[in-house]
Amino acid sequence: MASSAEVVAPSNEEETTDTPAAQKREERLRKFRELHFKRNEARKLNHQEVVEEDKRLKLPSNWEAKKARLEYELIVDQKKKECAERGEDYNRVKLLEISAEDAERWERKKKKKNPDPGFSGYAEQIKPDMENYERQREECGEDFHPTSNSLIHGTHVPSKESVDRMVDDVEKQIEKRSKYSRRRAYNDDADIDYINERNAKFNKKAERFYGKYTAEIKQNLERGTAV
């Protein structure tokens, strides 16, 4: 009997020692399944992002701007229909929705725009005169494309139309510059409180910034009652 009792005791100890190991193993398997699930989810999301990015790359470069413009036009069309159904003027309703800050900001943007585009749109206005080109090519012959041995300096005579066109352009430039002139007209009746042109500019700046503070002192000096 004693020997049988000795045999049973070790089996109980083995069961107690195997239980924590089984729990750890089960915990590891659970974490492994979670990691496997997360990996599959990440792989799926990455694949979706790659497909979406490939679609975006195949679209035109200005697709986002076009899309936003089309959405804005759809909203505007919807608002116009609603105003027409109510018998209202869309432009008037639109102005009522604009805040004073937005209107002021738009006015500042308009003022910042350069009224004289200069050469910004010059390339679009150039139209080659192919008839004149072919005619000059026939007149000059081989010298039309000069080399180091060509002597064509001073042989070209511009046409009357070209000269007239140049004169008209120069006159337009002179007229435009006269409108943008910043030179101030000289006033003969103004008080002379300067000794030269540089001193006159300095006095004008001083008057502009401090004139309202020194007006009374200047009046007293002119009347001779200054203390």
Side-chain angles (χ1 to χ4, degrees):
M1 296 294 291
S3 61
S4 63
E6 290 177 358
V7 173
V8 173
S11 63
N12 292 334
E13 290 179 0
E14 289 178 0
E15 289 178 1
T16 56
T17 55
D18 290 344
T19 302
Q23 291 177 354
K24 289 181 179 179
R25 182 172 178 277
E26 185 64 27
E27 183 67 20
R28 291 194 194 98
L29 290 174
R30 186 180 62 80
K31 289 183 178 179
F32 178 76
R33 285 193 294 269
E34 291 178 356
L35 291 173
H36 186 70
F37 177 76
K38 290 180 179 178
R39 187 188 66 176
N40 290 337
E41 287 293 324
R43 184 184 299 169
K44 193 180 298 182
L45 292 174
N46 287 337
H47 179 70
Q48 292 177 358
E49 288 294 329
V50 170
V51 172
E52 291 296 328
E53 185 177 2
D54 184 63
K55 288 181 180 179
R56 288 195 298 269
L57 292 175
K58 290 180 180 179
L59 292 172
S61 58
N62 59 345
W63 167 250
E64 294 294 334
K66 283 186 176 180
K67 182 180 178 182
R69 182 65 182 175
L70 290 173
E71 292 177 353
Y72 174 76
E73 290 178 355
L74 288 175
I75 295 173
V76 170
D77 291 339
Q78 184 65 26
K79 289 184 177 179
K80 286 182 178 180
K81 291 180 181 177
E82 293 176 357
C83 293
E85 291 175 357
R86 296 194 301 265
E88 298 176 346
D89 185 8
Y90 170 74
N91 294 326
R92 184 177 179 83
V93 174
K94 183 180 178 181
L95 291 174
L96 292 174
E97 294 177 355
I98 299 175
S99 63
E101 295 178 356
D102 293 338
E104 186 178 357
R105 185 171 66 254
W106 290 340
E107 286 296 328
R108 287 198 300 268
K109 285 184 179 180
K110 288 181 180 179
K111 290 180 180 179
K112 285 182 180 179
K113 288 183 179 179
N114 186 7
D116 184 11
F119 286 95
S120 59
Y122 185 72
E124 300 176 358
Q125 300 175 3
I126 295 177
K127 294 181 180 179
D129 188 356
M130 299 305 298
E131 294 181 1
N132 188 24
Y133 172 82
E134 294 295 338
R135 186 173 66 255
Q136 290 184 8
R137 186 174 180 178
E138 293 177 358
E139 292 176 357
C140 297
E142 295 180 355
D143 292 336
F144 187 76
H145 299 288
T147 61
S148 58
N149 298 323
S150 300
L151 297 175
I152 60 172
H153 179 70
T155 60
H156 174 68
V157 179
S159 62
K160 185 177 182 302
E161 293 79 7
S162 300
V163 175
D164 294 339
R165 188 167 58 249
M166 184 191 68
V167 171
D168 293 338
D169 185 61
V170 172
E171 290 178 351
K172 289 179 181 178
Q173 293 180 16
I174 294 172
E175 184 180 359
K176 186 181 292 185
R177 282 197 295 269
S178 65
K179 292 179 181 179
Y180 287 99
S181 176
R182 295 180 57 84
R183 185 174 180 83
R184 302 294 185 267
Y186 180 74
N187 187 6
D188 294 332
D189 297 331
D191 295 335
I192 300 176
D193 56 354
Y194 54 89
I195 57 176
N196 52 35
E197 190 69 21
R198 184 177 179 182
N199 181 241
K201 293 180 180 179
F202 176 81
N203 291 344
K204 288 181 180 179
K205 290 182 180 179
E207 178 67 23
R208 185 164 63 249
F209 290 105
Y210 305 106
K212 60 183 179 180
Y213 306 111
T214 60
E216 186 177 356
I217 298 174
K218 186 182 292 186
Q219 292 174 1
N220 291 337
L221 288 172
E222 292 175 354
R223 289 196 300 267
T225 57
V227 178

